[in-house]
C-alpha cells in the first residue's frame, strides 16, 4: 500500500563515484547487449531481466555480490516507521549510492513473506501464468531458481529516466 509519494528529483553521483550502477556487458560489433547488470563498485553483482515485458524475470546473484552494502547511520532511523519519504535524510543517504538520474521516491507499507518456487504466493506460478500463460516450449511456469520474498521494501526509489 502506498503511504506517500514525493516529488521526482535528481539524486545520485556521477557514474565513476556511484557505488551502484546499472550496465550491460560489452557486446560484439553489430550485436545486442549480452547481460543487463547491477554493479557494485564496478563489479557485476546481479544479473537483471531486460525490461521488455516478454523476458522471464531474472535477479541472479553473481560473484561481485560479496559484501553487505549497508549504511550504518541509517539502521536506527529505519527501525521506526517513516511518516514521509524525506524523513531523517533517508533518501539523500541512499541516493548517494545511486548513479545520477531522476528518481521518484515512494513510501510503501508492505508485509514481507517468504515464497518458495511453485508454492502459494509464488508470482511465477500464479500471477505470471494468469497474465502470460506458461512457457510455450516447456509448458511450465518460469522457475526463479531461488526462494524469494514478496514485499520486502518500505521505502522505494524508482528511476524515472532510463539508464
Amino acid at each position: 500500500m502506498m503511504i506517500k509519494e514525493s516529488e521526482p528529483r535528481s539524486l545520485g553521483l556521477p557514474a565513476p563515484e556511484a557505488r551502484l550502477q546499472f550496465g550491460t556487458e560489452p557486446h560484439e560489433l553489430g550485436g545486442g547487449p549480452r547481460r543487463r547488470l547491477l554493479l557494485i563498485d564496478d563489479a557485476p553483482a546481479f544479473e537483471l531481466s531486460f525490461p521488455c515485458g516478454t523476458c522471464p524475470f531474472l535477479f541472479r546473484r553473481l560473484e561481485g555480490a560479496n559484501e553487505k552494502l549497508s549504511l550504518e547511520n541509517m539502521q536506527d532511523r529505519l527501525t521506526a516507521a517513516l511518516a514521509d519519504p524525506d524523513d531523517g535524510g533517508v533518501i539523500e543517504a541512499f541516493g548517494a549510492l545511486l548513479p545520477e538520474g531522476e528518481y521518484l521516491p515512494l513510501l510503501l507499507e508492505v508485509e514481507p513473506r517468504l515464497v518458495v518456487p511453485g508454492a502459494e504466493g509464488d508470482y511465477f506460478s500464479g500471477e505470471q501464468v494468469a497474465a502470460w500463460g506458461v512457457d510455450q516450449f516447456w509448458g511450465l511456469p518460469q522457475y526463479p531458481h531461488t526462494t524469494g520474498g514478496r514485499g520486502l521494501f518500505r521505502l522505494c526509489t524508482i528511476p524515472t529516466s532510463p539508464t
Side-chain angles (χ1 to χ4, degrees):
M1 170 175 68
M2 183 174 332
I3 296 173
K4 188 162 186 182
E5 177 180 328
S6 286
E7 292 297 316
R9 67 190 72 186
S10 295
L11 293 171
L13 300 172
E17 300 170 36
R19 293 206 59 202
L20 295 176
Q21 296 184 49
F22 297 93
T24 56
E25 284 184 326
H27 53 83
E28 297 173 14
L29 187 59
R34 295 187 182 204
R35 292 191 303 174
R36 188 168 166 254
L37 302 167
L38 173 62
L39 301 126
I40 299 177
D41 298 328
D42 296 319
F46 292 91
E47 184 178 354
L48 308 172
S49 302
F50 282 92
C52 63
T54 59
C55 298
F57 175 77
L58 177 65
F59 189 77
R60 181 177 299 139
R61 185 184 186 141
L62 303 173
E63 290 179 15
N66 55 14
E67 66 175 287
K68 270 198 321 190
L69 188 58
S70 180
L71 298 176
E72 300 296 327
N73 59 340
M74 285 288 114
Q75 288 182 358
D76 288 338
R77 181 65 198 103
L78 293 174
T79 58
L82 296 175
D84 188 285
D86 290 312
D87 281 357
V90 173
I91 290 174
E92 288 73 23
F94 284 96
L97 298 172
L98 301 171
E100 273 181 316
E102 287 292 310
Y103 294 87
L104 175 63
L106 302 174
L107 183 61
L108 307 172
E109 182 175 359
V110 181
E111 303 242 354
R113 57 192 168 88
L114 183 63
V115 177
V116 176
E120 183 180 343
D122 175 30
Y123 167 81
F124 299 99
S125 59
E127 294 102 319
Q128 186 183 45
V129 170
W132 302 100
V134 295
D135 181 276
Q136 291 180 3
F137 179 79
W138 296 106
L140 299 168
Q142 296 294 329
Y143 186 73
H145 301 279
T146 185
T147 57
R150 298 284 309 255
L152 295 176
F153 301 102
R154 289 187 60 101
L155 174 70
C156 183
T157 304
I158 299 173
T160 60
S161 61
T163 56

